[in-house]
Amino acid sequence: NPRPPPPAAPTRRRVPPPYSATAVEALCDQMNHQNRTSKRLARECQETFLSLYFSKRSEVASGVVVGLRTNGLLVYVPRFDTRGAVHLTDRDGTVQCLPSLLGLRPDDGIAAGDADANGTRRFPGARCDLGDDGDGERLVLSVPGGGGTTFQALDVVSVLLSCDAGGAVRARLPRVRMHLRSLGTSAEETFRPRVRITSARIRGGEDGGDGDGDGDGDMEGGPT
C-alpha cells in the first residue's frame, strides 16, 4: 500500500506584540525613574545615619583624594563608604587649615573661630592654586616666605569626621563634615574594615560600640 502523504504544516499566525514601541519606551522611562529614586533614597538614608552617628562622636579615618577644587579637596573615606568636601579656604578665600600641613608651628597664623578648636588656623597671606603642570591637576597651598604642600588625585590623607547638630531643632540633620588632619596614613589604618552603621551602633556609648557593651562595634566586609 502506498504511504500516505505527510500532514501539511500548520499555518503560523502572526501574534501582535503585547506592547507597542511607545508603551515600551514609557515603561523603560518609568523603571529608570524608579531606579534613580531608590538609589537617591538609599544615599540619603546613609547620610542620615552617618550624621546621627557622628553627632555623638568624631573619628579620624583615612581617605583618598578623588577630586580637586579651587577651594579644597573631594575625599572618599572607604571605612564609612562616604565622600565629601574638605575645604581649605573660608568663604572669603583665605587659606584655613592646620599649620602642620604648611610646615609651620601650631601657633602660627590667626585663630579661625569655632574651627580653632580642631587646631585649624587662618593664613591671610597664603595661596590656594589649582593648576595643571602637564602631569595632571595639582592643588598647591603656599605661604609667603616658604612652606606649603601639594595635593593631587589618589593622594591618601587623614580626615576628621564630625557632625555639629548644634542642639537646635532642625527638619534635617546637617551633613558630616570633614577636616584635613594629615597627609598619608599608616598601612593599618588603610586596611581597616568598613563600618556598618546601624541604629544599635548609633545608640551605643562614646566607645562607638554596637550596643552590647563590648565596645567592638559591628563590622562587615573585608579590607577596603
Side-chain angles (χ1 to χ4, degrees):
N1 296 329
R3 182 175 298 179
T11 303
R12 295 184 177 180
R13 298 177 58 187
R14 186 174 182 180
V15 179
Y19 300 100
S20 65
T22 303
V24 171
E25 182 179 0
L27 287 173
C28 290
D29 290 341
Q30 175 67 13
M31 288 187 290
N32 288 332
H33 174 72
Q34 294 294 338
N35 183 45
R36 289 191 295 268
T37 301
S38 63
K39 287 183 177 180
R40 185 179 69 252
L41 291 176
R43 184 171 61 251
E44 291 178 355
C45 287
Q46 173 71 2
E47 291 176 356
T48 300
F49 271 95
L50 284 174
S51 296
L52 289 171
Y53 178 76
F54 285 112
S55 65
K56 298 180 180 179
R57 57 181 66 78
S58 59
E59 293 188 22
V60 176
S62 296
V64 180
V65 177
V66 295
L68 302 175
R69 301 292 184 267
T70 55
N71 61 345
L73 314 170
L74 188 63
V75 177
Y76 172 67
V77 181
R79 179 165 166 76
F80 297 100
D81 191 24
T82 185
R83 69 179 62 200
V86 176
H87 297 286
L88 298 177
T89 65
D90 58 17
R91 295 181 179 179
D92 299 327
T94 303
V95 172
Q96 180 174 290
C97 64
L98 290 175
S100 59
L101 297 173
L102 301 174
L104 304 176
R105 297 176 302 177
D107 57 347
D108 286 339
I110 303 173
D114 295 338
D116 189 49
N118 297 321
T120 301
R121 310 280 286 182
R122 296 176 68 248
F123 299 91
R127 293 177 55 88
C128 183
D129 300 310
L130 177 63
D132 193 331
D133 59 0
D135 294 329
E137 281 190 328
R138 299 178 186 273
L139 185 67
V140 180
L141 288 180
S142 57
V143 179
T149 189
T150 302
F151 301 94
Q152 59 185 354
L154 301 184
D155 279 350
V156 179
V157 297
S158 293
V159 294
L160 175 69
L161 296 97
S162 62
C163 180
D164 183 13
V169 177
R170 296 173 181 261
R172 186 173 182 177
L173 285 170
R175 297 189 63 179
V176 174
R177 299 181 61 184
M178 298 185 187
H179 301 275
L180 187 62
R181 304 303 295 173
S182 63
L183 305 179
T185 185
S186 64
E188 178 181 358
E189 171 65 23
T190 302
F191 293 102
R192 293 181 68 183
R194 180 177 297 174
V195 173
R196 178 165 56 93
I197 305 298
T198 63
S199 57
R201 188 173 177 85
I202 293 174
R203 292 194 303 268
E206 292 299 325
D207 60 352
D210 52 11
D212 56 6
D214 57 6
D216 58 356
D218 292 321
M219 302 290 180
E220 70 172 4
T224 54

